Amino acid sequence: MYSIHERDPGTPIRISTKRVSLTIDGVTVNVPEGTSVMRAATQAGVNVPKLCATDSLEAFGSCRLCLVQIEGRRGFPASCTTLVEPGMKVTTQSPKLATLRRGVMELYISDHPLDCLTCPANGNCELQEMAGVVGLREVRYGYAGENHLEAPKDESNPYFSFDATKCIVCSRCVRACEEVQGTFALTVLGRGFDSKISPGGTDFLSSECVSCGACVQACPTSTLMEKSIEERGQPDHVVATTCAYCGVGCSFRAEMKGNEVVRMVPDKQGGANHGHSCVKGRFAWGYATHPDRITTPMIRARITDPWREVSWEEAFAYTASELRRIQGTYGAASIGAITSSRCTNEETYLVQKLVRAVFGNNNVDTCARVCHSPTGYGLKTTLGESAGTQDFDSVEHADVIVVIGANPTDAHPVFASRMKKRLREGAGLVVIDPRQTDLVRQPHVEAAYHLQLVPGTNVAVINALAHVIVTEGMLREEYIRARCDLVEYEKWKAFIALPENSPEALEATTGVPAAQIRGAARLYGQAKNGAIYYGLGVTEHSQGSTMVMGIANLAMATGNIGRPGVGVNPLRGQNNVQGSCDMGSFPHELPGYRHVSDPAVRALFGAAWGVEIQPEPGLRIPNMFDAALDGSFKGLYVQGEDIAQSDPDTHHVLRALSSMECVIVQDLFLVETAKYAHVFFPGATFLEKDGTFTNAERRINRVRKVMPPRAGLADWEITVRLGQAMGVDMPYAHPSEIMDEIAALTPTFHGVSYDKLERLGSIQWPCNDAAPEGTPVMHAEQFVRGKGRFVITRYVPTTERTNRDYPLILTTGRILSQYNVGAQTRRTANVTWHPEDVLEIHPHDAEFRGVADGDLVAVTSRAGETVLRAEITERVQPGVVYTTFHHPESGANVVTTENSDWATNCPEYKVTAVQVRRTTERSVWQREFDATAHAQADLLPGGPRPSGEAAE
Amino acid sequence: MNLEKLTKMANEIAAFFDADPDRAAALDGFAGHLRRFWEPRMRKELVALVDGGGGGDLLPLVRQAFVERRAQILP
Ligand code: SF4
Ligand code: SF4
Ligand code: SF4
Ligand code: FES
């Protein structure tokens, strides 16, 4: 069911410059061409009764409740499927229409249980409402006839139920699954009276359903119903906010009862999601009230000591004195901080301000280090701005879509639905991925080319693609001459045309047949609009930055930047990874990507903060670990990031953490890093604070507080109070004041304010005097850096090589239902879909090792060993194994190495040489992990938390 | 800091800029990169290694830059 108090004009909005005038019940309306009579009627203030129509779906015309009369036409056309015409005269109400509609309703109701008073949809049910609207007073057929009132209820999905007795077979759910989500999990079985809705002949959980919730939202009755509504009843108010999981940044309406969330419904007004969602944002919010939440500050002198619960005052005083003591002993540069891409812009900004203005150094970094830092470097170098070039809507204009090292159906599901829609409309698709992701073959979607390369050879593939563009005459010379630096261009062109970059020469390296590369290059190179989307499969390599620049080269060479339908689009991982980078979280950049070596920028911030900003870059996260091990880095403030689980080479990270004297963790739970911490600041969930997130399309969205912070303080308040305890006042009454400061100091945010966000809903930066309402597509007239810069991208293979001892390549990725380290999703019913991380292995490799499906296997690399369960599948090619890293005890990062991107030190998660063998027991590391987990749980006040991991 | 690691990092940076046919641009690119992205203690320690006669594993571009672009690299 739709969110409460939301309008539903019945059919989708149409955009057209041509307008049509008509009269409806005597009122003249003027609407875009292609609009339905039903939607036009709402402009005249008339809501035509309807059941099978809803504005997220194309009209279907099956229920016959929306009949109207049109002057000069015979019969009673359905207003949902009838389009407006100039001069049309429509009547929506007459005695005849009323009788017809009552007849329709009567039929529906005669096969519907009359338990409205106890039905969970009571108060928000379209069937109930329509019965009232048409004035249904009796059901002449009686309820004794043949009916569906005995159909069993399907409770298999953890978040919603399917009660077929209430189904009116309007097929809104089926169409939502097809049109909005693109999964095609539902069908109408049978015909006529016998027809019924089925998730492919099985129950919902065993079906293809990905639990996005689109069908539940589209259902006009309580047939498909959120279990949270069944349990808690209908909400009483709504607060608009933004999902805190992935970089799509879906807008939601948090439906509330007092301080309790009853349901999260995707917001139709959301600029990123237009009313769609995935299983995480829609359903996996129960972690916010999970009993594992820690809600009192804690301190301890050593990590082997029991935690002591203290007041906030004591926690701040202790922490401040420790940090100042460390700086006194080891120097000003011996402490630093890590900002979180899960926190708001305002919070991130404050942490880097704390480091620069209070710690007095530039030792601040963020988790983007381990995901999209090469995007920042690569796009800034070539195009001039560290961000994606398009908005999501742009995909609707793409003719060819190239997806590189990204798995959007799992990691960016709502955007993937948009992309699949465009692909179903006929856009061409190239997938460059070592693994057969779902996108390669889907219902009604199939990649024209799947370049299944050997992991680690991205740059070779992009060079080969560019080689074909250059040597087969597909360069857009005119575009290049007008927009790019020609000296660099000529150098690049000469380099890329070298025979060593040809697909044939590189075939042995990449494992991709040359003909496929040539075909894919022609498809992209000749497209009117070619768009590239990429993910961590591009960045998390030792040549991540080179690859990003290779992508930008290719897009510039083919003229595919600067208008809708094209572009270079990084699919950002975390909800606010774009924002955390924008806010100056890197050790070399102040907010707005301005280098600390620039005296004018330093002077600006220095004057605003009343301090002198250090002119040299600070330590990056991996440098912090190294400096900790050599004894020159001793104190670290970590806001909402679990480096002990998420960063590569766990052994190394844990040694570094253990060698520090004051590790401060600010988080919701006792995460892995907290086990090595001396101070724990209990953080707030996104439901407990105000602020903004910036998504992958640079869209700044509001996050709104719907309940008070459980521990009493929002995260930004914690940073302010810590600064205060260290002697520096940062007096803000509300996050909007922090945004005002950001806007005053950062040209790309100059026009942003909470008032404007309130007015516009969201804003895509740059937002300034030249673009007061923001910028959906960047580099329109010219590149931000002036002339676009081609960069020579020689393929330098990783030093991580397979050999006899480590003959397989391990690569890592994500899954739809879990989010990153899983601290949140593991504490929800999403574990139903992914209770553990498994190792995907090709049948050949498995057979050779005597491994059967479901066996325990040891995965050993030069860095370490862990044990996982094997899943035999042809999704991976021979020689490649694959796993996810959502569960800490899986220890995926025990195995990954310290190799990293040459430019940014982004870890090479995607390529690790390993051996795999059958085993019967967990690894040494895993047993140590269990022991540490138990020991640390015992050190909590009151001992281990009562619950297991899953709740809600 | 771990000199072995710094050596590997410097070599990887050099391997990228080395592809530029213009040697002066390659040297500037390498030196500028270190200046813009390496914390001073990392730069100092690696330069000190070479000054002390070590750093035999460093690529020629690195060694050349440490001589010809020294002022750019060190704060
Ligand atoms: S489940 Fe709901 S949406 Fe689907 S056909 Fe039945 S009533 Fe319509
Ligand atoms: S929840 Fe989503 S995927 Fe599942 S049946 Fe409904 S619309 Fe389809
Ligand atoms: S996790 Fe991403 S796609 Fe899913 S609802 Fe949240 S923002 Fe949208
Ligand atoms: S709403 Fe028009 S036919 Fe159902």
Side-chain angles (χ1 to χ4, degrees), chain A residues 683-806:
Chain A
T685 69
F686 75 112
L687 297 168
E688 297 161 26
K689 58 197 183 188
D690 280 299
T692 55
F693 292 151
T694 306
N695 78 352
E697 36 160 21
R698 297 169 276 104
R699 187 184 298 280
I700 306 163
N701 272 315
R702 270 286 266 124
V703 178
R704 290 187 182 82
K705 181 161 144 182
V706 304
M707 54 175 78
R710 287 211 138 193
L713 296 181
D715 294 278
W716 62 273
E717 294 171 301
I718 297 173
T719 308
V720 166
R721 296 275 296 271
L722 177 59
Q724 224 169 28
M726 293 182 78
V728 179
D729 259 346
M730 298 193 270
Y732 305 101
H734 187 269
S736 61
E737 296 175 8
I738 308 175
M739 181 53 88
D740 292 342
E741 181 174 317
I742 296 167
L745 295 172
T746 315
T748 41
F749 278 70
H750 190 64
V752 180
S753 70
Y754 275 38
D755 282 347
K756 196 186 270 185
L757 282 166
E758 211 60 52
R759 198 153 39 80
L760 300 179
S762 62
I763 301 171
Q764 287 176 270
W765 70 258
C767 172
N768 45 33
D769 295 342
E773 303 213 331
T775 313
V777 174
M778 288 188 82
H779 314 291
E781 304 298 323
Q782 60 165 10
F783 290 107
V784 171
R785 79 180 291 283
K787 293 288 184 191
R789 178 169 173 207
F790 282 86
V791 174
I792 293 179
T793 52
R794 186 170 68 184
Y795 169 58
V796 180
T798 168
T799 52
E800 180 70 7
R801 302 277 167 80
T802 53
N803 62 13
R804 276 202 14 222
D805 294 338
Y806 305 104

Side-chain angles (χ1 to χ4, degrees), chain A residues 549-585:
Chain A
M549 294 187 282
I551 291 172
N553 288 340
L554 192 68
M556 287 189 289
T558 50
N560 276 317
I561 297 179
R563 60 182 185 277
V566 299
V568 175
N569 304 280
L571 293 171
R572 297 279 187 161
Q574 319 236 27
N575 54 331
N576 198 34
V577 65
Q578 180 70 53
S580 72
C581 297
D582 301 341
M583 291 299 112
S585 294

